Amino acid sequence: MKLLNANQIKSADKFTLEEQKISSLQLMERAAETAVEYLISKIRNTQKFCIFCGKGNNGGDGFAIARLLYQKSYDVEVFTDLSNINFSDEAKTNFQKVKSISGIDLNDFSEVENMRFKANSIILDCIFGIGLNRKIEGKIERLIQVLNTINLKKISIDIPSGLLSDGFTPNDFTVLKADETLSFQFWKKAFFYPETGRFCGKIQILNIGISENFIASSESTEYIIDEHLIKNIYQPREDFVNKGTFGKTVMIAGSYGKIGAAVLATKAALKSGSGLTFCAAPKCGYNVLQNSAPEAMFIESGENFIEFLDLPEDGVLGIGPGLGTEADTEKVVLNLIKNQKMPMVIDADALNILSKNKDFLKYIPTNSIITPHPKEFERLFGASKNAFERTELAKRKAKELNIFIVLKGHHTQIISPEKEVFYNITGNSGMAKGGSGDALTGIITSFLSQNYSPKNAAIFGVWLHGKAGDFAAEKYSKESILPSDLIENIAEVFKDLQP
């Protein structure tokens, strides 16, 4: 799915009106109907909606939603700026319709501070949409500040009011803090970044029938990883194959006290379909690895940490989990990176070693995949003012080094040498535990060994890792899931992908 900017979304609306021969008021009504259908199907234990409407088309959506909810027998109160009713044409039409319904209470924004809201009421935010390009000030800023103090569920329509759609929203901006955002048709870039996504709560994309032809013809270098993309990438197994068909995965991992990282990476590679799997690790991990992952072959590479490597030919390498940064290990890692020709996966301590030896970044094999979390990325390439700038820096570095960067986070990004950005939407906060990244390294290395392209190995690996985490969270809760639970649920993801 393409990620479009605010201007492209507005153009998509206009194109849809012409293609489908409908008016903007009809499209607004369709959006409102879709939102109401979702609210009725998902919201429980409430009979009252307090709907806050601005002067633009986002406010028009709110007025239409208010009318439709009232017709469904919900108690509805509408708040707007009655001192300035200079609405957009569509908002004005829907405002007049609401005004004509005696059963809908119509209030001024200024009345909010003295209101006592009924328990279990829901606040709908329809004040500003994606057209906002400035800081909110004055009475509207005060309104949002008050709404943020009210202990009721808040749902933003299309985007939380005050949030800039396409980039960083400065810290001094006042933004409504939503528990949920119902976004019409499209994800917005602001949803994916920690500084801005924290205002959005749970994201729900509502299909309102925007022209598929327009979307297909729109230019974008940014994408959302959805199931349609994954099903195009996924290669189901044929019948007449053997273990050699599915590659040779070699995990270089582990040191004294960190053998668990090697186990997790190795087991994740096995569960992801690797045909032959090896783990190069120090001797101290032999018994643990052979007992934990008997299907993998052990390659002794030192006593308590990696001191040397004697690797099988034609193996696809994943290096870093639990490796440590001992001087001998550092020499081995740098020598391997300098002399390796095939794409490899580089993570964790291998990245930390590179961050201390930046001259070796240029030796990373073309089309390799590195998987840093934000701090590892900063150590490698320098600090950024915010996550948006970090993505731009990652795009430059991916192109410069001709590698793929998997920038880990709540919405992990895969950044290609062509400066494409793929945003992942699977996964959950229960995966924020030591060992999750080791599992991801094993998965991506396994896919790379199975002849997925580096881009597809990274995209599929990140998506599957998150999806397995979601299945595990459903079973055990976010608090209780372990990286090992995630690995066990890889099977559920593959079963779900079967035609």
Side-chain angles (χ1 to χ4, degrees), residues 467-483:
K467 192 73 171 176
D470 289 339
F471 278 123
E474 286 178 16
K475 291 181 181 179
Y476 305 117
S477 82
K478 292 178 183 178
E479 289 78 9
S480 295
I481 63 170
L482 299 173

Side-chain angles (χ1 to χ4, degrees), residues 8 41 87 104 134 138 211 276 314 335 369 380 411 487 490:
Q8 287 176 309
S41 67
F87 297 117
I104 297 180
R134 58 178 173 80
S211 170
L276 286 167
D314 302 324
N335 184 63
I369 302 164
L380 282 166
H411 290 295
I487 293 167
I490 289 173

Side-chain angles (χ1 to χ4, degrees), residues 28-37 39-40 49 51 60-74 76 78 94 97-98 101 104:
M28 183 176 287
E29 188 75 5
R30 184 194 295 173
E33 288 171 351
T34 305
V36 167
E37 182 180 344
L39 290 168
I40 291 173
F49 289 88
I51 306 177
D61 293 330
F63 291 130
I65 289 169
R67 170 173 44 82
L68 293 170
L69 284 171
Y70 177 78
Q71 291 171 356
K72 298 287 187 181
S73 300
Y74 286 91
V76 176
V78 171
N94 278 316
K97 289 180 180 180
V98 165
I101 300 173
I104 297 180

Side-chain angles (χ1 to χ4, degrees), residues 129-149:
I130 61 171
L132 184 72
N133 57 10
R134 58 178 173 80
K135 181 182 180 182
I136 297 173
E137 297 177 328
K139 64 170 71 174
I140 307 299
E141 180 179 29
R142 177 58 188 161
L143 168 68
I144 292 175
Q145 289 169 345
V146 171
L147 290 177
N148 281 339
T149 68

